[in-house]
Amino acid sequence: MTISEIENTLRSILYGEYSSLQLSFNDGNGPNYMTVAEYLDSSAPGSDPEWASEEEKAKAIATNSMWMLQWYPDTPIGSYTIAASTLPALFDHLAAMRFLRG
């Protein structure tokens, strides 16, 4: 996937004038000197992102590698957050979500 294709994919999930997104790697755990497992254990119940799969969550914990994408598609309120252990897995999950939402 080229940079232009990545940009087009990300722009395609944003609809409104006030939409935004953030792509991060180990953003929650790295700066806090925690492993992915420690970070997930310390998070508030129900605040877990939508994982690409349970296998991806297990891989993220095993490799201490957590990619997250959070976006507000229409307004500054109401967001989606997805996670995976690798960037390709994250984009595959994003593509599947877009397909399912039709």
Side-chain angles (χ1 to χ4, degrees):
M1 189 176 246
T2 67
I3 295 295
S4 293
E5 291 169 330
I6 291 169
E7 180 180 0
N8 289 337
T9 298
L10 293 174
R11 284 184 178 269
S12 74
I13 62 174
L14 302 172
Y15 312 119
E17 181 179 359
Y18 301 104
S19 58
S20 65
L21 69 81
Q22 179 181 3
L23 176 64
S24 64
F25 176 76
N26 283 357
D27 190 46
N29 60 300
N32 295 310
Y33 299 95
M34 302 167 90
T35 65
V36 169
E38 290 168 336
Y39 172 73
L40 294 174
D41 285 344
S42 71
S43 298
S47 66
D48 242 10
E50 177 181 321
W51 286 89
S53 66
E54 284 301 314
E55 292 80 17
E56 274 301 308
K57 184 176 181 179
K59 284 181 192 175
I61 291 168
T63 62
N64 199 39
S65 175
M66 182 175 171
W67 285 92
M68 278 198 338
L69 178 66
Q70 180 178 30
W71 72 101
Y72 295 79
D74 298 307
T75 67
I77 335 172
S79 68
Y80 297 96
T81 306
I82 60 173
S85 67
T86 66
L87 196 53
L90 187 81
F91 273 83
D92 288 348
H93 183 56
L94 180 62
M97 289 176 65
R98 289 181 54 226
F99 174 75
L100 293 174
R101 291 187 180 138

Short mmCIF file of all heavy atoms in Angstrom, two decimals, residues 23-26 36 49-53 55-61 63-69 81-94:
data_model
loop_
_atom_site.label_atom_id
_atom_site.label_comp_id
_atom_site.label_asym_id
_atom_site.label_seq_id
_atom_site.Cartn_x
_atom_site.Cartn_y
_atom_site.Cartn_z
N LEU A 23 -3.70 8.07 14.43
CA LEU A 23 -3.07 6.76 14.29
C LEU A 23 -1.89 6.74 15.25
O LEU A 23 -1.07 7.66 15.26
CB LEU A 23 -2.59 6.57 12.85
CG LEU A 23 -1.83 5.28 12.54
CD1 LEU A 23 -2.72 4.06 12.73
CD2 LEU A 23 -1.29 5.33 11.12
N SER A 24 -1.82 5.70 16.08
CA SER A 24 -0.74 5.66 17.06
C SER A 24 -0.15 4.26 17.20
O SER A 24 -0.78 3.27 16.86
CB SER A 24 -1.25 6.15 18.43
OG SER A 24 -2.24 5.27 18.92
N PHE A 25 1.07 4.23 17.71
CA PHE A 25 1.77 2.98 18.01
C PHE A 25 2.25 3.05 19.45
O PHE A 25 3.00 3.96 19.82
CB PHE A 25 2.96 2.78 17.08
CG PHE A 25 3.77 1.56 17.40
CD1 PHE A 25 3.30 0.30 17.08
CD2 PHE A 25 4.97 1.67 18.08
CE1 PHE A 25 4.03 -0.83 17.39
CE2 PHE A 25 5.70 0.55 18.40
CZ PHE A 25 5.24 -0.71 18.05
N ASN A 26 1.78 2.10 20.26
CA ASN A 26 2.15 2.01 21.68
C ASN A 26 1.99 3.34 22.41
O ASN A 26 2.75 3.65 23.33
CB ASN A 26 3.58 1.49 21.84
CG ASN A 26 3.68 -0.01 21.61
OD1 ASN A 26 2.69 -0.69 21.40
ND2 ASN A 26 4.89 -0.53 21.63
N VAL A 36 2.13 -3.74 26.78
CA VAL A 36 0.75 -3.71 26.28
C VAL A 36 -0.16 -4.42 27.27
O VAL A 36 -1.25 -3.94 27.58
CB VAL A 36 0.66 -4.34 24.87
CG1 VAL A 36 -0.78 -4.56 24.45
CG2 VAL A 36 1.38 -3.46 23.84
N PRO A 49 -10.19 -0.98 22.95
CA PRO A 49 -10.58 -0.71 21.57
C PRO A 49 -11.19 -1.96 20.95
O PRO A 49 -11.12 -3.05 21.53
CB PRO A 49 -9.26 -0.38 20.89
CG PRO A 49 -8.23 -1.10 21.70
CD PRO A 49 -8.76 -1.08 23.11
N GLU A 50 -11.78 -1.82 19.80
CA GLU A 50 -12.26 -2.98 19.04
C GLU A 50 -11.03 -3.61 18.40
O GLU A 50 -10.36 -2.99 17.58
CB GLU A 50 -13.25 -2.56 17.97
CG GLU A 50 -13.72 -3.71 17.10
CD GLU A 50 -14.68 -3.26 16.02
OE1 GLU A 50 -15.54 -2.40 16.29
OE2 GLU A 50 -14.57 -3.79 14.90
N TRP A 51 -10.72 -4.83 18.80
CA TRP A 51 -9.55 -5.52 18.25
C TRP A 51 -9.90 -6.17 16.92
O TRP A 51 -11.03 -6.63 16.73
CB TRP A 51 -9.03 -6.56 19.23
CG TRP A 51 -8.33 -5.93 20.38
CD1 TRP A 51 -8.89 -5.51 21.55
CD2 TRP A 51 -6.96 -5.58 20.44
NE1 TRP A 51 -7.95 -4.92 22.34
CE2 TRP A 51 -6.74 -4.95 21.68
CE3 TRP A 51 -5.88 -5.73 19.57
CZ2 TRP A 51 -5.49 -4.48 22.08
CZ3 TRP A 51 -4.64 -5.27 19.96
CH2 TRP A 51 -4.45 -4.66 21.20
N ALA A 52 -8.92 -6.23 16.03
CA ALA A 52 -9.12 -6.88 14.74
C ALA A 52 -9.59 -8.32 14.96
O ALA A 52 -10.41 -8.83 14.21
CB ALA A 52 -7.83 -6.85 13.91
N SER A 53 -9.07 -8.96 16.01
CA SER A 53 -9.48 -10.30 16.41
C SER A 53 -8.86 -10.59 17.76
O SER A 53 -7.96 -9.86 18.21
CB SER A 53 -9.00 -11.35 15.39
OG SER A 53 -7.58 -11.43 15.39
N GLU A 55 -6.99 -13.06 18.28
CA GLU A 55 -5.63 -13.46 17.94
C GLU A 55 -4.72 -12.24 17.83
O GLU A 55 -3.58 -12.26 18.27
CB GLU A 55 -5.59 -14.27 16.63
CG GLU A 55 -6.25 -15.62 16.71
CD GLU A 55 -7.78 -15.57 16.59
OE1 GLU A 55 -8.34 -14.55 16.14
OE2 GLU A 55 -8.41 -16.57 16.98
N GLU A 56 -5.24 -11.17 17.24
CA GLU A 56 -4.46 -9.93 17.12
C GLU A 56 -4.17 -9.33 18.50
O GLU A 56 -3.09 -8.83 18.74
CB GLU A 56 -5.19 -8.90 16.25
CG GLU A 56 -4.93 -9.07 14.78
CD GLU A 56 -3.45 -8.95 14.43
OE1 GLU A 56 -2.80 -7.95 14.82
OE2 GLU A 56 -2.94 -9.85 13.76
N LYS A 57 -5.14 -9.39 19.38
CA LYS A 57 -4.92 -8.90 20.74
C LYS A 57 -3.83 -9.72 21.43
O LYS A 57 -2.93 -9.15 22.06
CB LYS A 57 -6.23 -8.96 21.54
CG LYS A 57 -6.12 -8.38 22.93
CD LYS A 57 -7.47 -8.39 23.63
CE LYS A 57 -7.39 -7.79 25.02
NZ LYS A 57 -8.70 -7.78 25.69
N ALA A 58 -3.88 -11.03 21.27
CA ALA A 58 -2.86 -11.90 21.87
C ALA A 58 -1.49 -11.61 21.26
O ALA A 58 -0.48 -11.58 21.98
CB ALA A 58 -3.24 -13.37 21.67
N LYS A 59 -1.43 -11.37 19.95
CA LYS A 59 -0.16 -11.03 19.30
C LYS A 59 0.37 -9.70 19.81
O LYS A 59 1.58 -9.54 20.01
CB LYS A 59 -0.33 -10.96 17.78
CG LYS A 59 -0.43 -12.28 17.09
CD LYS A 59 -0.56 -12.04 15.59
CE LYS A 59 -0.94 -13.28 14.85
NZ LYS A 59 -1.19 -13.01 13.41
N ALA A 60 -0.51 -8.73 20.00
CA ALA A 60 -0.09 -7.42 20.50
C ALA A 60 0.53 -7.56 21.89
O ALA A 60 1.56 -6.94 22.18
CB ALA A 60 -1.28 -6.46 20.54
N ILE A 61 -0.08 -8.37 22.71
CA ILE A 61 0.45 -8.61 24.06
C ILE A 61 1.79 -9.34 23.98
O ILE A 61 2.76 -8.96 24.63
CB ILE A 61 -0.58 -9.37 24.92
CG1 ILE A 61 -1.78 -8.45 25.20
CG2 ILE A 61 0.06 -9.89 26.20
CD1 ILE A 61 -2.97 -9.15 25.79
N THR A 63 3.97 -9.48 21.51
CA THR A 63 5.03 -8.72 20.85
C THR A 63 5.21 -7.32 21.40
O THR A 63 6.09 -6.58 20.95
CB THR A 63 4.76 -8.62 19.33
OG1 THR A 63 3.53 -7.91 19.13
CG2 THR A 63 4.71 -9.99 18.68
N ASN A 64 4.37 -6.94 22.36
CA ASN A 64 4.37 -5.60 22.93
C ASN A 64 4.28 -4.55 21.81
O ASN A 64 5.03 -3.58 21.77
CB ASN A 64 5.60 -5.36 23.80
CG ASN A 64 5.40 -4.20 24.74
OD1 ASN A 64 4.31 -4.02 25.29
ND2 ASN A 64 6.42 -3.39 24.92
N SER A 65 3.33 -4.79 20.91
CA SER A 65 3.17 -3.95 19.73
C SER A 65 1.69 -3.68 19.50
O SER A 65 0.95 -4.59 19.12
CB SER A 65 3.78 -4.68 18.52
OG SER A 65 3.55 -3.97 17.34
N MET A 66 1.27 -2.45 19.73
CA MET A 66 -0.15 -2.12 19.64
C MET A 66 -0.37 -0.88 18.75
O MET A 66 -0.02 0.23 19.13
CB MET A 66 -0.71 -1.86 21.03
CG MET A 66 -2.17 -1.55 21.09
SD MET A 66 -2.67 -1.41 22.83
CE MET A 66 -4.32 -0.79 22.64
N TRP A 67 -0.93 -1.11 17.59
CA TRP A 67 -1.33 -0.03 16.70
C TRP A 67 -2.78 0.30 16.99
O TRP A 67 -3.61 -0.61 17.13
CB TRP A 67 -1.20 -0.46 15.24
CG TRP A 67 0.21 -0.49 14.76
CD1 TRP A 67 1.06 -1.57 14.77
CD2 TRP A 67 0.94 0.59 14.19
NE1 TRP A 67 2.26 -1.22 14.24
CE2 TRP A 67 2.22 0.10 13.87
CE3 TRP A 67 0.63 1.91 13.92
CZ2 TRP A 67 3.20 0.91 13.30
CZ3 TRP A 67 1.61 2.72 13.34
CH2 TRP A 67 2.87 2.20 13.03
N MET A 68 -3.10 1.58 17.07
CA MET A 68 -4.50 1.99 17.29
C MET A 68 -4.86 3.10 16.32
O MET A 68 -4.04 3.96 15.99
CB MET A 68 -4.73 2.49 18.71
CG MET A 68 -4.93 1.38 19.69
SD MET A 68 -5.71 1.80 21.29
CE MET A 68 -5.47 3.50 21.52
N LEU A 69 -6.10 3.04 15.88
CA LEU A 69 -6.67 4.10 15.05
C LEU A 69 -7.96 4.54 15.72
O LEU A 69 -8.83 3.71 16.00
CB LEU A 69 -6.96 3.59 13.64
CG LEU A 69 -7.60 4.58 12.68
CD1 LEU A 69 -6.65 5.73 12.37
CD2 LEU A 69 -8.02 3.89 11.39
N THR A 81 -12.66 3.26 17.76
CA THR A 81 -11.27 2.95 18.05
C THR A 81 -11.04 1.48 17.75
O THR A 81 -11.76 0.62 18.27
CB THR A 81 -10.91 3.23 19.52
OG1 THR A 81 -11.26 4.57 19.83
CG2 THR A 81 -9.42 3.03 19.76
N ILE A 82 -10.06 1.21 16.88
CA ILE A 82 -9.72 -0.17 16.56
C ILE A 82 -8.23 -0.38 16.84
O ILE A 82 -7.46 0.58 16.85
CB ILE A 82 -10.07 -0.55 15.10
CG1 ILE A 82 -9.33 0.33 14.10
CG2 ILE A 82 -11.57 -0.48 14.88
CD1 ILE A 82 -9.51 -0.10 12.64
N ALA A 83 -7.85 -1.64 17.05
CA ALA A 83 -6.46 -1.95 17.38
C ALA A 83 -6.04 -3.27 16.77
O ALA A 83 -6.88 -4.15 16.50
CB ALA A 83 -6.28 -2.01 18.90
N ALA A 84 -4.74 -3.39 16.56
CA ALA A 84 -4.15 -4.63 16.05
C ALA A 84 -2.66 -4.63 16.40
O ALA A 84 -2.12 -3.60 16.82
CB ALA A 84 -4.33 -4.73 14.54
N SER A 85 -2.01 -5.75 16.20
CA SER A 85 -0.59 -5.85 16.54
C SER A 85 0.31 -5.29 15.44
O SER A 85 1.46 -4.95 15.70
CB SER A 85 -0.21 -7.31 16.81
OG SER A 85 -0.31 -8.08 15.62
N THR A 86 -0.21 -5.21 14.22
CA THR A 86 0.56 -4.68 13.10
C THR A 86 -0.29 -3.69 12.32
O THR A 86 -1.52 -3.75 12.35
CB THR A 86 1.03 -5.79 12.14
OG1 THR A 86 -0.12 -6.37 11.52
CG2 THR A 86 1.86 -6.86 12.85
N LEU A 87 0.38 -2.82 11.60
CA LEU A 87 -0.34 -1.85 10.78
C LEU A 87 -1.12 -2.53 9.66
O LEU A 87 -2.28 -2.18 9.42
CB LEU A 87 0.64 -0.80 10.24
CG LEU A 87 0.05 0.47 9.68
CD1 LEU A 87 -0.90 1.15 10.65
CD2 LEU A 87 1.17 1.43 9.27
N PRO A 88 -0.56 -3.53 8.95
CA PRO A 88 -1.36 -4.22 7.94
C PRO A 88 -2.62 -4.87 8.51
O PRO A 88 -3.70 -4.81 7.90
CB PRO A 88 -0.40 -5.27 7.36
CG PRO A 88 0.95 -4.69 7.57
CD PRO A 88 0.85 -3.97 8.90
N ALA A 89 -2.52 -5.47 9.68
CA ALA A 89 -3.70 -6.09 10.30
C ALA A 89 -4.74 -5.03 10.66
O ALA A 89 -5.95 -5.25 10.52
CB ALA A 89 -3.30 -6.89 11.54
N LEU A 90 -4.28 -3.86 11.10
CA LEU A 90 -5.19 -2.77 11.43
C LEU A 90 -5.94 -2.31 10.18
O LEU A 90 -7.16 -2.15 10.20
CB LEU A 90 -4.40 -1.60 12.03
CG LEU A 90 -5.25 -0.45 12.56
CD1 LEU A 90 -5.77 -0.79 13.95
CD2 LEU A 90 -4.43 0.82 12.61
N PHE A 91 -5.22 -2.15 9.07
CA PHE A 91 -5.86 -1.72 7.83
C PHE A 91 -6.77 -2.79 7.26
O PHE A 91 -7.81 -2.49 6.69
CB PHE A 91 -4.82 -1.25 6.81
CG PHE A 91 -4.48 0.19 6.97
CD1 PHE A 91 -3.54 0.59 7.91
CD2 PHE A 91 -5.11 1.17 6.22
CE1 PHE A 91 -3.23 1.92 8.09
CE2 PHE A 91 -4.81 2.51 6.39
CZ PHE A 91 -3.87 2.89 7.33
N ASP A 92 -6.40 -4.06 7.40
CA ASP A 92 -7.29 -5.14 6.97
C ASP A 92 -8.60 -5.10 7.75
O ASP A 92 -9.67 -5.27 7.19
CB ASP A 92 -6.62 -6.51 7.16
CG ASP A 92 -5.51 -6.78 6.16
OD1 ASP A 92 -5.40 -6.01 5.16
OD2 ASP A 92 -4.74 -7.73 6.38
N HIS A 93 -8.51 -4.86 9.04
CA HIS A 93 -9.72 -4.78 9.88
C HIS A 93 -10.55 -3.57 9.49
O HIS A 93 -11.78 -3.65 9.40
CB HIS A 93 -9.33 -4.73 11.35
CG HIS A 93 -10.50 -4.72 12.28
ND1 HIS A 93 -11.48 -5.70 12.26
CD2 HIS A 93 -10.87 -3.85 13.25
CE1 HIS A 93 -12.39 -5.43 13.18
NE2 HIS A 93 -12.04 -4.31 13.78
N LEU A 94 -9.90 -2.45 9.24
CA LEU A 94 -10.60 -1.25 8.81
C LEU A 94 -11.34 -1.51 7.49
O LEU A 94 -12.51 -1.14 7.34
CB LEU A 94 -9.62 -0.08 8.65
CG LEU A 94 -10.21 1.25 8.21
CD1 LEU A 94 -11.22 1.75 9.24
CD2 LEU A 94 -9.10 2.26 8.01
#
